[in-house]
Amino acid sequence: NAIHKGNAMNIAETDEAFHDVIYLGTGNDKLVQILNNLREQMYRYRFEYIKDSSQHERIVEEHKVIYESIVKKDKETASHMAKVHIDNQKKAIIRQIRLEREKNK
């Protein structure tokens, strides 16, 4: 719904909420604490990543597979897709940083 409304701030908040559910679901208080400490730094890049609307459908599909794998207790698929999701975000963030550097030259 957030993607269809097209509001980047709402998309970023919804994305963050999705990830929070997964973090909290681990029952690992130390992990949650570490991620909370990194929240501000991650949010900046998450927002930049989300502003690229060409990525939206892929993000939704990755989240859907991760969610469905967790529900099915399919650890292998959930783990694999989480890695794919992180790798895709990493590539998009690096691309965004390079674009910002090019603009500032």
Side-chain angles (χ1 to χ4, degrees):
N1 285 337
I3 285 174
H4 294 294
K5 291 178 183 175
N7 180 310
M9 184 65 78
N10 187 258
I11 295 168
E13 289 169 355
T14 303
D15 185 66
E16 187 173 41
F18 174 81
H19 290 106
D20 285 349
V21 168
I22 293 173
Y23 304 153
L24 292 170
T26 66
N28 184 334
D29 293 338
K30 191 68 164 173
L31 173 66
V32 172
Q33 181 182 9
I34 290 168
L35 292 168
N36 282 334
N37 290 340
L38 293 172
R39 184 175 301 273
E40 267 186 59
Q41 291 86 351
M42 290 190 310
Y43 190 84
R44 173 179 175 241
Y45 293 109
R46 173 179 283 134
F47 190 74
E48 289 301 321
Y49 176 60
I50 284 171
K51 285 192 323 189
D52 180 359
S53 63
S54 70
Q55 304 296 317
H56 291 173
E57 293 305 317
R58 187 176 48 72
I59 294 169
V60 169
E61 187 57 33
E62 289 171 357
H63 284 178
K64 182 178 177 184
V65 173
I66 292 167
Y67 167 78
E68 290 172 351
S69 300
I70 291 170
V71 169
K72 293 177 187 174
K73 299 184 186 320
D74 180 353
K75 294 177 187 178
E76 187 175 314
T77 302
S79 176
H80 170 74
M81 195 48 144
K83 183 181 181 329
V84 167
H85 184 58
I86 290 166
D87 287 344
N88 285 337
Q89 284 194 352
K90 179 180 74 174
K91 289 173 190 172
I93 289 167
I94 290 169
R95 187 171 51 248
Q96 186 64 33
I97 290 170
R98 287 184 178 144
L99 286 173
E100 286 179 22
R101 285 183 183 160
E102 289 298 317
K103 286 180 191 176
N104 294 329
K105 282 187 175 182

